[in-house]
Amino acid sequence: MKKLLLLLTLFSLIILTACSEDDDTNNESEVLEITEDNLVGTWTYLEGTLNGEQNELVDLFAIPEMTLNEDLTISSGTMNGRWSLGGNDGNVLTYELVGIIIKDDGNSSTTFTETNSGEFNIDELQNNSMILTNSSEIGNVALTYRR
């Protein structure tokens, strides 16, 4: 009888600890505080909208992939530069990229320096995504990036 009681107790303990609620939570959508530490990482462009609607024109201006480093440097392909976080609410991402671009048409190649800079509000920051917005003369632009 004691063995049966011990076995049932052990079985109950295993069942209760194996079915913890913490195992079922998904931290991917956890909203993060907008800080430099939480922005560090490689971000890949997903989609862009103009005035709330998907627009291919926005895709032309987005950085396809960018890596925000702890030392406040940024890199994207052959371009490198600096990034910072500021603004009144501390939610404005500013960046400047400079790089050497080589255009090759098959017969000749041309090398030139390209500069890409921008300033975006960080509207939403989660573990796996961020939404950057900017109001400009063409309208309200929103860019979604995934980590």
Side-chain angles (χ1 to χ4, degrees):
M1 184 70 164
K2 285 184 183 181
K3 286 183 182 181
L4 182 60
L5 184 58
L6 182 61
L7 189 59
L8 286 173
T9 304
L10 185 59
F11 180 74
S12 299
L13 186 61
I14 290 171
I15 293 296
L16 290 175
T17 57
C19 296
S20 171
E21 246 183 72
D22 295 337
D23 295 340
D24 297 333
T25 59
N26 186 347
N27 291 334
E28 286 186 5
S29 61
E30 176 186 355
V31 175
L32 299 177
E33 180 182 357
I34 298 171
T35 65
E36 291 173 353
D37 289 340
N38 287 337
L39 288 171
V40 169
T42 299
W43 297 91
T44 304
Y45 175 69
L46 251 181
E47 66 180 3
T49 61
L50 177 62
N51 297 323
E53 296 182 16
Q54 286 192 343
N55 188 304
E56 291 179 9
L57 178 64
V58 175
D59 296 344
L60 298 175
F61 298 102
I63 300 171
E65 184 175 279
M66 62 181 165
T67 301
L68 303 176
N69 300 303
E70 289 179 15
D71 63 356
L72 302 182
T73 58
I74 181 174
S75 59
S76 176
T78 60
M79 301 182 79
N80 295 295
R82 308 270 313 149
W83 70 277
S84 63
L85 192 58
N88 291 338
D89 295 329
N91 66 337
V92 177
L93 174 67
T94 304
Y95 68 88
E96 183 170 311
L97 289 165
V98 177
I100 303 296
I101 307 297
I102 300 173
K103 298 281 185 178
D104 190 349
D105 65 4
N107 296 325
S108 65
S109 63
T110 306
T111 304
F112 61 94
T113 302
E114 181 178 329
T115 301
N116 183 347
S117 62
E119 184 173 286
F120 288 90
N121 291 318
I122 303 171
D123 276 7
E124 184 177 300
L125 179 62
Q126 297 180 355
N127 280 343
N128 66 343
S129 67
M130 76 171 156
I131 298 175
L132 304 177
T133 60
N134 184 326
S135 294
S136 67
E137 58 275 354
I138 64 168
N140 296 320
V141 175
L143 307 174
T144 302
Y145 283 85
R146 289 195 59 89
R147 194 181 330 233

